[in-house]
Amino acid sequence: MSAIDLYAAADLYDRVHLGPWKGELEFYQRQAARCGPRVLELACGTGRLTVPLAAGGLTLTGLDLSAAMLARAQSKAAAAGVLVRFVQADMRAFDLGETFDLVFVPVNSLCHLLTRPDLEAFLRCVRAHLAPAGRFVIDVFNPSLTILSRDPSRWYTIGEYPDDQDGHLRLTEQNRYDAAAQVNHIVWRFDWEDGGRAQHRLTMRQFFPQELDALLIYNGFAIEAKYGQYGEKEFHAESRQQLVVARAA
């Protein structure tokens, strides 16, 4: 079985991350309508949100660490006929020389910051790039104790996807949760119809609701709203997402 880096395999990444989620694009459009059109997306990947937001008339900058992901994003922007500034940089240490009305880090990308120093370095960069009336949005899942307590030897189905080159693709995962570090160690297994198989390993920090709020407040942000879904219903105990809208305090 071969090992792959999904963040260097942009085509495969796009096959299993299909466009904006229901209501996601409209959520960010509403946020930009409230605070202004200059938007910075952190961990923008292959432009899943960046390109359609720019196509809607917003001024977009997309930042990501992966050159392969950014190349794919630039190709999508060119195909859509929209202008987007793409920057290859680490979201813990970047300086773009300007500020933005809206800065956001989309679905679960925050979970790649495994330690408190990583998160604090990231938040310092965000604050430095927020316009005086700017807003910062985090979209991260609400940790599931059911998933985190799974049997680490079992494989669980994520989904099945069409693959034009290699036939039908099935994605499964297993995970082992380190409760002391609050880090979930995950293996994604890709199985193609022709018998091919590959694995991608990733680690994801878990941010529990009160902890996430406190980290933002202690790092100089004021929380304006916290939603449990893109439709902006208030966050509650059964919410699967944490959508936090904050400003510099």
Side-chain angles (χ1 to χ4, degrees):
M1 184 184 308
S2 61
I4 59 170
D5 176 4
L6 187 60
Y7 301 113
D11 288 349
L12 180 58
Y13 179 93
D14 272 352
R15 289 188 190 109
V16 297
H17 294 82
L18 304 175
W21 301 109
K22 183 178 180 181
E24 186 181 15
L25 179 63
E26 294 80 4
F27 172 78
Y28 289 110
Q29 289 172 331
R30 289 194 300 272
Q31 302 310 310
R34 292 165 184 162
C35 56
R38 298 173 302 157
V39 180
L40 170 62
E41 180 184 358
L42 300 170
C44 69
T46 64
R48 187 180 63 89
L49 287 166
T50 331
V51 173
L53 285 171
L58 299 175
T59 303
L60 261 292
T61 297
L63 181 146
D64 202 278
L65 188 60
S66 167
M69 302 285 266
L70 290 173
R72 178 82 167 185
Q74 186 63 68
S75 176
K76 289 180 182 179
V82 298
L83 181 63
V84 179
R85 177 191 181 193
F86 288 108
V87 178
Q88 184 180 4
D90 188 324
M91 64 181 182
R92 297 167 297 183
F94 65 93
D95 183 358
L96 302 180
E98 61 180 299
T99 60
F100 299 86
D101 304 311
L102 173 64
V103 178
F104 74 95
V105 56
V107 58
N108 301 325
S109 296
L110 191 75
C111 297
H112 294 301
L113 303 178
L114 303 183
T115 67
R116 182 171 54 80
D118 282 344
L119 181 71
E120 291 182 340
F122 165 74
L123 292 176
R124 281 195 296 272
C125 284
V126 170
R127 286 197 65 195
H129 289 81
L130 269 183
R135 296 297 181 267
F136 171 45
V137 178
I138 291 173
D139 176 6
V140 67
F141 48 53
N142 189 14
S144 166
L145 298 182
T146 300
I147 292 175
L148 297 178
S149 59
R150 282 173 173 173
D151 178 350
S153 67
R154 287 189 59 190
W155 290 93
Y156 298 83
T157 298
I158 294 179
E160 298 188 359
Y161 310 90
D163 190 312
D164 294 337
Q165 294 181 345
D166 304 300
H168 197 70
L169 170 64
R170 183 167 181 258
L171 175 57
T172 55
E173 72 173 5
Q174 64 178 196
N175 66 283
R176 176 183 58 81
Y177 179 54
D178 179 343
Q182 290 182 209
V183 173
N184 197 22
H185 297 265
I186 303 163
V187 180
W188 276 10
R189 188 173 71 189
F190 300 88
D191 287 286
W192 283 270
E193 192 173 0
D194 65 359
R197 174 174 284 183
Q199 287 188 351
H200 168 72
R201 295 181 179 272
L202 66 155
T203 50
M204 300 195 80
R205 172 77 151 81
Q206 306 299 295
F207 292 97
F208 289 89
Q210 294 299 315
E211 172 195 25
L212 180 61
D213 295 356
L215 285 166
L216 285 167
I217 292 167
Y218 296 156
N219 282 277
F221 289 87
I223 296 173
E224 291 198 336
K226 186 165 186 175
Y227 306 117
Q229 58 171 262
Y230 295 123
E232 299 184 25
K233 290 189 177 180
E234 188 175 354
F235 178 81
H236 57 81
E238 303 304 317
S239 298
R240 295 185 178 182
Q241 289 173 276
Q242 301 180 72
L243 286 160
V244 183
V245 180
R247 57 176 173 78

